[in-house]
């Protein structure tokens, strides 16, 4: 009898909860339709769900696609079926997907204050990198951005001496006997040193320079945990509200290791900025100039806040440029005639002087890098959350010409991978690697999103393009040919950034061999 009563109590509770949910959804839908009509808006095409209420089918499907490195192909297929803009449901909340540059301009430019990152980035990212210019909106974002911006001033990024030493160390590690080597992990390691030198004014010694003394772990261990932290964080972002189901003990351990390492560097910098004392004379002094770390410790005593700014800056400085170069070399290894052109350009530059300005002015090198970012954007799709009710100028209705009413909390995904393959912008055969197309096309600012646009545009754009060009030049001067050693096509491994799951496997033929 008691079991029967408990059974009925549970059923009544479940039925009551279902009724409340249905009522809540009905009231919300009525309010949505009323607001939609008042703004003269129509809904975009809606993706067909197995679970139309919560949309768990797309969340689970996205996680599976990401783990199988097929998510970008799935997104491209959906745009083929539903058009440039369509809508899905994610845990009961609408998500708009678009490759339409006019909508991307609205979200990233014209009405960017209606949109933000904090609602969906802060929770999954805060355990690793806290609050800063990547995770926050409003005044906190503006303050964080202002702290980091001076580090990317031309006076601080035009010195190529360290990237020169790092490139020499990279080339020395490339076997020249015709055997296969994966360049991608070497580039990750190289730019760990480059990023740490740029941000901390010293190298971690993973490939070039001497590592700091007394750190909790060595640079190799730090790099492994840094990459694990990034991958785990990316998976948590993609999983949305279902991230609570993902085990996190290993991820928490990786985050803690990164924190201990960076905290030590912060503590040493804080000691350097104290008045001279007997205690401070015994510190490890491995900084000889002024870096972002030095700027931050002069403005704050909050070790955790300084660490968060540094980790976010390192995420922006280390992972992105190494992926850009790996992708460019991957594409050039498939196009030996273009590599010959790069060698000719490199020899012309060397005959004069390789400088920040000459690399920036090289049309061939810059077009190669822009074409690489077009085909394989490092951020293949980015999201924004509606911070208030707002309107998108088009995409609604059967013809896609009506405005779309967007309730607060809706997510907008700009699918840059598909945007960059739009024939009306980039011409025919958009799957082909053709740097010369950039001689004839002039994409608008929101038609090419390799570095983002608007107020959140990447601060390190010129630094990344010039450093990538420098590495290409030095490799072209050293190696007469680079041969592809990977028959499989590019497959996108999406975590926080997007890289080739197969790496960059090549063999090199030295010049004058």
């Amino acid at each position: 009898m008691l079991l029967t009563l408990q059974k009925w109590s549970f059923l009544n509770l479940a039925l009551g909860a279902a009724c409340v949910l249905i009522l809540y959804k009905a009231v919300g839908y009525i309010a949505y339709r009323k607001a939609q009509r008042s703004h003269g808006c129509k809904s975009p095409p809606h993706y067909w769900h197995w679970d139309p209420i919560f949309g768990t089918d797309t969340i689970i499907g996205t996680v599976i696609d990401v783990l199988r490195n097929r998510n970008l192909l799935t997104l491209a297929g959906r745009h083929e079926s539903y058009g440039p803009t369509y809508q899905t449901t994610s845990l009961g909340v609408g998500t708009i997907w678009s490759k339409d540059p006019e909508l991307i301009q609205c979200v990233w430019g014209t009405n960017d204050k209606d949109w933000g990152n904090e609602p969906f980035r802060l929770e999954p990212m805060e355990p690793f990198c806290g609050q800063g210019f990547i995770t926050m909106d409003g005044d906190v974002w503006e303050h964080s951005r202002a702290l980091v911006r001076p580090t990317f001033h031309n006076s601080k990024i035009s010195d190529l001496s360290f990237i020169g030493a790092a490139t020499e160390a990279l080339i020395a590690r490339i076997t020249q006997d015709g055997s296969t080597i994966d360049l991608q992990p070497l580039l990750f390691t190289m730019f760990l040193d480059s990023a740490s030198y740029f941000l901390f004014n010293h190298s971690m010694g993973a490939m070039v320079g001497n590592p700091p003394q007394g750190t909790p772990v060595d640079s190799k261990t730090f790099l492994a945990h840094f990459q694990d932290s990034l991958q785990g964080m990316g998976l948590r972002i993609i999983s949305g509200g279902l991230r609570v189901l993902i085990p996190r003990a290993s991820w928490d351990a990786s985050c803690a290791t990164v924190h201990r390492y960076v905290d030590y560097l912060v503590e040493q910098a804080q000691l350097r900025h104290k008045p001279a004392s007997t205690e401070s004379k015994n510190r490890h002094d491995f900084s000889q100039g002024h870096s972002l770390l030095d700027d931050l410790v002069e403005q704050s005593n909050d070790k955790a806040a300084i660490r968060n700014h540094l980790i976010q800056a390192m995420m922006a400085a280390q992972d992105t440029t190494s992926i850009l170069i790996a992708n460019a070399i991957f594409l050039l290894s498939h196009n030996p005639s273009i590599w010959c052109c790069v060698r000719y350009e490199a020899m012309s530059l060397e005959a004069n002087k390789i400088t920040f300005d000459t690399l920036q002015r090289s049309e061939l090198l810059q077009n190669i890098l822009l074409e690489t970012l077009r085909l394989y954007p490092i951020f293949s799709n980015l999201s924004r959350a509606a911070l208030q009710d707002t309107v998108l100028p088009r995409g609604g209705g059967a013809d896609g010409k009506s405005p779309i009413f967007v309730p607060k909390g809706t997510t907008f995904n700009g699918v840059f991978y598909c945007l960059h393959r739009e024939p009306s912008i980039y011409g025919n055969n958009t799957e082909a690697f053709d740097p010369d197309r950039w001689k004839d096309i002039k994409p608008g600012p929101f038609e090419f999103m390799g570095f983002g646009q608007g107020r959140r545009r990447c601060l390190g754009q010129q630094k990344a393009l010039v450093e990538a060009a420098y590495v290409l030049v030095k490799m072209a001067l050293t190696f007469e040919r680079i041969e592809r050693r990977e028959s499989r096509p590019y497959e996108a491994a999406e975590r926080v950034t997007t890289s080739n799951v197969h790496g960059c496997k090549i063999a090199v033929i030295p010049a004058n061999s």
Side-chain angles (χ1 to χ4, degrees), residues 272-501:
R272 286 197 304 275
H273 286 268
K274 285 182 178 181
S277 66
T278 302
E279 180 183 357
S280 64
K281 287 178 184 177
N282 295 323
R283 68 185 179 272
H284 300 299
D285 188 4
F286 43 74
S287 177
Q288 313 217 342
H290 217 67
S291 62
L292 175 62
L293 173 57
D294 292 301
D295 290 338
L296 291 174
V297 297
E298 286 180 356
Q299 299 178 62
S300 173
N301 292 320
D302 187 337
K303 184 171 69 174
I306 295 171
R307 176 227 297 155
N308 293 336
H309 287 305
L310 291 170
I311 291 177
Q312 293 200 16
M314 195 160 192
M315 289 164 56
Q318 182 256 343
D319 209 27
T320 50
T321 309
S322 61
I323 294 173
L324 170 58
I325 298 170
N327 288 342
I329 296 292
F330 171 81
L331 289 164
L332 289 167
S333 71
H334 289 64
N335 293 271
S337 61
I338 302 177
W339 181 253
C340 290
C341 296
V342 174
R343 276 183 50 78
Y344 182 81
E345 178 78 356
M347 287 184 276
S348 298
L349 289 170
E350 188 185 40
N352 297 297
K353 188 179 181 182
I354 301 174
T355 66
F356 187 92
D357 291 335
T358 59
L359 292 169
Q360 198 172 37
R361 290 196 300 266
S362 171
E363 182 182 42
L364 174 64
L365 295 173
Q366 295 302 311
N367 285 350
I368 285 172
L369 296 171
L370 291 175
E371 180 71 350
T372 300
L373 287 166
R374 182 192 70 80
L375 274 173
Y376 306 138
I378 295 167
F379 297 99
S380 49
N381 63 90
L382 283 179
S383 303
R384 293 287 187 267
L387 303 177
Q388 58 190 26
D389 291 352
T390 187
V391 173
L392 293 172
R394 68 184 186 190
D399 60 3
K401 294 181 179 180
S402 298
I404 301 172
F405 175 72
V406 181
K408 178 181 178 180
T410 301
T411 298
F412 180 95
N413 282 310
V415 188
F416 306 148
Y417 177 84
C418 295
L419 168 69
H420 289 179
R421 284 161 169 74
E422 181 56 47
S424 64
I425 301 171
Y426 293 101
N428 298 323
N429 201 12
T430 57
E431 289 296 336
F433 176 64
D434 181 13
D436 283 344
R437 80 172 72 239
W438 289 84
K439 295 178 179 179
D440 304 317
I441 62 171
K442 299 292 181 185
F446 294 90
E447 293 175 337
F448 176 73
M449 295 292 286
F451 293 96
Q453 288 293 344
R455 293 188 306 149
R456 293 181 184 262
R457 182 184 179 92
C458 174
L459 290 170
Q461 174 177 345
Q462 296 309 317
K463 180 177 184 293
L465 289 173
V466 168
E467 289 185 349
Y470 185 94
V471 175
L472 292 182
V473 165
K474 288 298 184 179
M475 287 192 65
L477 291 171
T478 308
F479 306 121
E480 183 176 346
R481 297 200 312 275
I482 52 174
E483 298 178 352
R484 58 183 289 191
R485 291 295 175 87
E486 177 56 75
S487 59
R488 292 170 294 184
Y490 177 95
E491 284 188 37
E494 289 183 280
R495 300 302 181 262
V496 176
T497 52
T498 303
S499 59
N500 189 352
V501 70

Side-chain angles (χ1 to χ4, degrees), residues 225-287:
H225 285 286
F226 189 83
Q227 293 298 329
D228 288 346
S229 298
L230 289 178
Q231 291 177 6
M233 188 170 62
L235 184 59
R236 280 158 178 76
I237 293 172
I238 292 167
S239 302
L242 297 183
R243 69 178 65 96
V244 295
L245 303 178
I246 302 174
R248 56 178 293 168
S250 176
W251 183 60
D252 285 340
S254 289
C255 293
T257 299
V258 173
H259 291 174
R260 288 199 308 274
Y261 191 100
V262 179
D263 283 346
Y264 174 79
L265 301 182
V266 174
E267 290 164 2
Q268 293 299 305
Q270 288 173 329
L271 287 174
R272 286 197 304 275
H273 286 268
K274 285 182 178 181
S277 66
T278 302
E279 180 183 357
S280 64
K281 287 178 184 177
N282 295 323
R283 68 185 179 272
H284 300 299
D285 188 4
F286 43 74
S287 177

Side-chain angles (χ1 to χ4, degrees), residues 27-44 46 85 87 94-96 103 106 114-115 386 388-397 401-412:
V27 171
Y29 181 74
I30 292 170
Y32 166 76
R33 292 290 292 169
K34 181 179 180 181
Q36 188 182 55
R37 287 193 298 269
S38 69
H39 288 86
C41 298
K42 294 182 179 180
S43 299
H46 204 284
T85 303
Q87 184 168 334
T95 299
I96 297 170
L103 300 197
C106 180
D114 289 351
W115 301 86
Q388 58 190 26
D389 291 352
T390 187
V391 173
L392 293 172
R394 68 184 186 190
K401 294 181 179 180
S402 298
I404 301 172
F405 175 72
V406 181
K408 178 181 178 180
T410 301
T411 298
F412 180 95

Side-chain angles (χ1 to χ4, degrees), residues 25-302:
K25 295 290 290 183
V27 171
Y29 181 74
I30 292 170
Y32 166 76
R33 292 290 292 169
K34 181 179 180 181
Q36 188 182 55
R37 287 193 298 269
S38 69
H39 288 86
C41 298
K42 294 182 179 180
S43 299
H46 204 284
Y47 174 80
W48 190 88
H49 285 280
W50 286 102
D51 173 10
I53 296 177
F54 295 106
T56 53
D57 54 320
T58 55
I59 298 174
I60 295 171
T62 296
V63 172
I64 292 172
D65 281 339
V66 167
L67 293 176
R68 293 179 176 176
N69 308 308
R70 293 187 50 82
N71 188 50
L72 294 184
L73 299 179
T74 297
L75 293 179
R78 287 184 191 168
H79 279 297
E80 286 290 326
S81 300
Y82 292 96
T85 303
Y86 66 93
Q87 184 168 334
T88 62
T89 298
S90 178
L91 294 183
V93 178
T95 299
I96 297 170
W97 302 79
S98 185
K99 63 174 183 175
D100 185 341
E102 185 169 335
L103 300 197
I104 290 170
Q105 178 174 356
C106 180
V107 174
W108 269 263
T110 313
N111 294 339
D112 72 321
K113 291 192 176 181
D114 289 351
W115 301 86
N117 289 326
E118 187 176 332
F120 63 87
R121 282 189 182 177
L122 184 59
E123 183 180 345
M125 296 178 74
E126 188 172 24
F128 176 54
C129 62
Q131 299 184 9
F133 67 95
I134 291 178
T135 53
M136 302 301 291
D137 299 321
D139 293 341
V140 176
W141 171 80
E142 289 188 7
H143 176 68
S144 300
R145 177 95 167 181
L147 287 175
V148 175
R149 185 183 294 110
T151 309
F152 291 89
H153 189 271
N154 277 352
S155 62
K156 294 191 176 183
I157 65 175
S158 58
D159 182 0
L160 300 177
S161 56
F162 188 85
I163 196 68
T167 305
E168 287 181 12
L170 171 72
I171 290 173
R173 294 195 179 197
I174 298 175
T175 55
Q176 301 185 23
D177 58 2
S179 58
T180 300
I181 185 169
D182 188 353
L183 201 60
Q184 187 163 274
L186 290 178
L187 286 164
F188 283 155
T189 303
M190 169 187 168
F191 276 90
L192 171 68
D193 283 341
S194 176
S196 63
Y197 182 81
F198 179 64
L199 299 173
F200 308 134
N201 210 31
H202 73 85
S203 168
M204 290 186 179
M207 183 177 287
V208 61
N210 297 315
Q213 301 298 308
T215 53
V217 296
D218 60 27
S219 57
K220 183 177 180 180
T221 302
F222 172 82
L223 177 60
H225 285 286
F226 189 83
Q227 293 298 329
D228 288 346
S229 298
L230 289 178
Q231 291 177 6
M233 188 170 62
L235 184 59
R236 280 158 178 76
I237 293 172
I238 292 167
S239 302
L242 297 183
R243 69 178 65 96
V244 295
L245 303 178
I246 302 174
R248 56 178 293 168
S250 176
W251 183 60
D252 285 340
S254 289
C255 293
T257 299
V258 173
H259 291 174
R260 288 199 308 274
Y261 191 100
V262 179
D263 283 346
Y264 174 79
L265 301 182
V266 174
E267 290 164 2
Q268 293 299 305
Q270 288 173 329
L271 287 174
R272 286 197 304 275
H273 286 268
K274 285 182 178 181
S277 66
T278 302
E279 180 183 357
S280 64
K281 287 178 184 177
N282 295 323
R283 68 185 179 272
H284 300 299
D285 188 4
F286 43 74
S287 177
Q288 313 217 342
H290 217 67
S291 62
L292 175 62
L293 173 57
D294 292 301
D295 290 338
L296 291 174
V297 297
E298 286 180 356
Q299 299 178 62
S300 173
N301 292 320
D302 187 337

